[in-house]
Amino acid sequence: MTDTLATAEIESTIRSLEDARYAAVVAGDIEGFAAFAHPELLYTHSNAAVDTLDSYLEKLRTGFYVYHRIDHPVHKIVVVGDTVLVSGEMRADITAGGVRKQLANSALAVWVRDGGRWLLLGYGPTVIPGAI
């Protein structure tokens, strides 16, 4: 398999995983999301709060975060060995801490291949100024 073909296959896999992880949180499938996450996940929010996998899952379980809709266009995927960077957007309708809000973020997701599986290791959004 050529490097170009391997990279294209990885990009396709990661796009599918991105779709699935977002779909899981919108569906309230917390264990489904957890299956895509690395145990050392660092999940940064657009308000600069940072969650570990355990603290993020707890916030999902308790309804602190409720995702009503998420659009997540991908702009670029960079594959370097067993690490993938996904640059795109996360536009969402959510309830966070009891407050309904609209999000418009530029986002960077980090995926790593661990034990033959691709897992989400990091996520960091940045508010897009004037987008909402």
Side-chain angles (χ1 to χ4, degrees):
M1 179 174 348
T2 66
D3 285 342
T4 302
L5 184 55
T7 297
E9 287 181 11
I10 292 169
E11 288 179 7
S12 177
T13 296
I14 296 298
R15 283 180 191 277
S16 294
L17 290 169
E18 283 279 287
D19 288 345
R21 79 169 174 100
Y22 281 116
V25 295
V26 170
D29 182 2
I30 297 161
E31 296 312 312
F33 172 84
F36 300 114
H38 191 281
E40 296 298 323
L41 174 70
L42 289 179
Y43 195 103
T44 304
H45 300 275
S46 56
N47 66 359
V50 179
D51 277 308
T52 63
L53 176 58
D54 289 340
S55 65
Y56 184 61
L57 293 177
E58 183 62 20
K59 287 177 181 173
L60 292 173
R61 282 186 191 99
T62 62
F64 184 88
Y65 290 119
V66 177
Y67 294 85
H68 308 287
R69 176 197 54 83
I70 301 174
D71 298 317
H72 60 97
V74 171
H75 301 304
K76 185 171 178 105
I77 295 178
V78 177
V79 179
V80 180
D82 288 336
T83 304
V84 176
L85 302 177
V86 181
S87 175
E89 296 176 31
M90 195 269 279
R91 294 177 178 265
D93 176 14
I94 73 164
T95 299
V99 178
R100 187 92 179 232
K101 57 176 82 176
Q102 302 291 313
L103 301 179
N105 296 320
S106 177
L108 180 66
V110 180
W111 291 82
V112 293
R113 190 168 18 212
D114 187 15
R117 296 180 52 221
W118 288 103
L119 298 171
L120 181 67
L121 179 62
Y123 179 74
T126 302
V127 173
I128 300 171
I132 295 181

